Amino acid sequence: MMTLACRKLDPHPDSSTRQHSGPWLVWLHGLLGSGEDWLPVAELCGDYPSLLVDLPGHGKSTAVKTRGFADISQQLAETLQAYGIREYWLAGYSLGGRIAMYHACNGHHQGLLGLLVEGGNLGLESDELRAQRLQHDRQWAQRFRHEPLPQVLADWYQQDVFADLDSQQRTQLVSLRAANQGPAVADMLEATSLGHQPWLLPALQRLSVPYTYLCGSRDQKFQQLAHQYQLPLRTLARAGHNAHRANPGAFAAQVLSFLSQSSFLSLSR
C-alpha cells in the first residue's frame, strides 16, 4: 500500500523543549483541496509539529488510489508510522473530517489523543438516503471525469453548502481548484461518497479520546447538525462552511484552546 504525500512543519524555534518532543497535529483537507490548505492554521499552531496530508487523488497524492474509508484509514496509519508519529491530534475538514471520524472510530489507534472535525457529515441513517447520495455523487463524478474542470467547479460551488460565498470568492476557488485532475477527484468522490460512509454518531459517542466539532457561524447546515446530535460545538465568527480558510486566526485559537483544555483534563484525571 502506498503512503500518502505530506508536508511536515517543525515547531517554531522558540517553542519549549517539551512541545518539541510532544504530539503532532495531523491535518486532513476537503475534496478538491490539498494539505497546503491548512498551512495558515498550522503555522498559527506552530508550537506543535504538523503533518499536512494530501489525500488520495489530491495534491502530490494524485497517483494514490483508494477503495474507500477502511482503505484510507489504513493508508493514513501507515503514513503516520512512516513519519515516526506516535502521538497525534487528528483534524479534518469536510471530506477530511469524515475520514478523520472514521479513522478515530474504527480500529485501535493507540497514539490518537483527540479529534477535531470541521463541517464533517456524520453519515446517513437509512439505506434509501445512502442510495440517493450514491447516485448524486456518481453524477458529479461523471462530470469531473468528462467535462472541463473550471466548468464543473463553477457549478460545484453553487451548491447550498457554499451559499455564504460571494461571486468573487467562488471565482477564486474555481481558479485555485482547477489545478486538480478531474478523473482523480472523481475516483475519490465515488470511493468516499456519503452513500458508502457508516453512520458514525454512535461510535463518536463512545470515543475514548476528546473531540470537538468546529463550524462557521454562517454554516447553517452543519450548525443545525451539531445542535441536533448534541456535538461539542465550537463556532467560528465571520465564516461559512470552510471556516479555516475564511478565518484562520479564530480557527487556530479554537484549536489551541481545545488542545489546552483536553491536555489539562487528561493530566487532572
Side-chain angles (χ1 to χ4, degrees):
M1 184 176 290
M2 295 177 68
T3 56
L4 300 166
C6 302
R7 176 174 175 181
K8 186 173 73 169
L9 293 183
D10 292 320
H12 293 322
D14 57 352
S15 300
S16 71
T17 304
R18 180 188 66 79
Q19 287 168 318
H20 267 281
S21 59
W24 287 66
L25 280 166
V26 177
W27 307 90
L28 306 182
H29 60 82
L31 190 77
L32 296 161
S34 74
E36 295 294 307
D37 292 354
W38 285 110
L39 189 58
V41 173
E43 288 180 334
L44 290 169
C45 298
D47 287 346
Y48 294 84
S50 276
L51 194 70
L52 312 180
V53 179
D54 285 349
L55 292 171
H58 293 73
K60 294 180 180 177
S61 296
T62 303
V64 179
K65 302 289 186 182
T66 195
R67 294 185 296 272
F69 288 94
D71 206 20
I72 296 175
S73 184
Q74 183 62 30
Q75 288 169 323
L76 178 60
E78 292 184 11
T79 300
L80 296 177
Q81 186 176 14
Y83 277 87
I85 295 175
R86 295 181 177 85
E87 290 188 318
Y88 62 102
W89 302 86
L90 185 59
Y93 160 66
S94 196
L95 169 61
R98 299 196 284 121
I99 292 169
M101 286 187 286
Y102 181 93
H103 182 78
C105 291
N106 292 272
H108 303 285
H109 308 295
Q110 294 178 338
L112 179 64
L113 300 178
L115 179 67
L116 302 96
V117 179
E118 178 194 355
N121 200 310
L122 304 180
L124 301 170
E125 292 186 77
S126 75
D127 289 341
E128 182 182 359
L129 288 174
R130 283 190 285 270
Q132 289 174 2
R133 183 56 183 244
L134 268 175
Q135 180 61 26
H136 173 270
D137 287 344
R138 283 170 180 154
Q139 289 172 350
W140 274 112
Q142 284 298 99
R143 293 196 62 190
F144 276 114
R145 284 193 183 97
H146 301 298
E147 296 180 26
L149 200 51
Q151 181 178 311
V152 184
L153 292 171
D155 292 339
W156 179 264
Y157 288 113
Q158 293 293 334
Q159 294 181 97
D160 289 346
V161 73
F162 301 112
D164 66 292
L165 299 176
D166 61 31
S167 59
Q168 183 181 2
Q169 290 168 324
R170 286 191 177 92
T171 300
Q172 288 173 342
L173 278 170
V174 169
S175 177
L176 179 66
R177 303 312 190 197
N180 278 285
Q181 294 186 17
V185 171
D187 289 347
M188 184 63 165
L189 177 58
E190 288 190 317
T192 58
S193 169
L194 266 177
H196 292 312
Q197 180 182 313
W199 173 238
L200 294 173
L201 181 62
L204 267 183
Q205 293 170 333
R206 295 192 299 268
L207 268 188
S208 59
V209 296
Y211 80 97
T212 191
Y213 196 86
L214 300 119
C215 189
S217 59
R218 299 171 186 159
D219 188 348
Q220 298 302 320
K221 175 181 177 179
F222 285 94
Q223 279 201 74
Q224 183 180 349
L225 183 149
H227 291 306
Q228 180 179 354
Y229 296 113
Q230 299 181 313
L231 303 178
L233 177 64
R234 289 170 179 259
T235 304
L236 285 301
R238 302 185 306 281
H241 184 54
N242 195 335
H244 70 272
R245 176 179 169 83
N247 197 342
F251 195 95
Q254 290 284 15
V255 170
L256 294 172
S257 169
F258 171 71
L259 298 186
S260 176
Q261 290 175 14
S262 300
S263 299
F264 176 79
L265 287 173
S266 65
L267 288 171
S268 63
R269 283 173 184 159

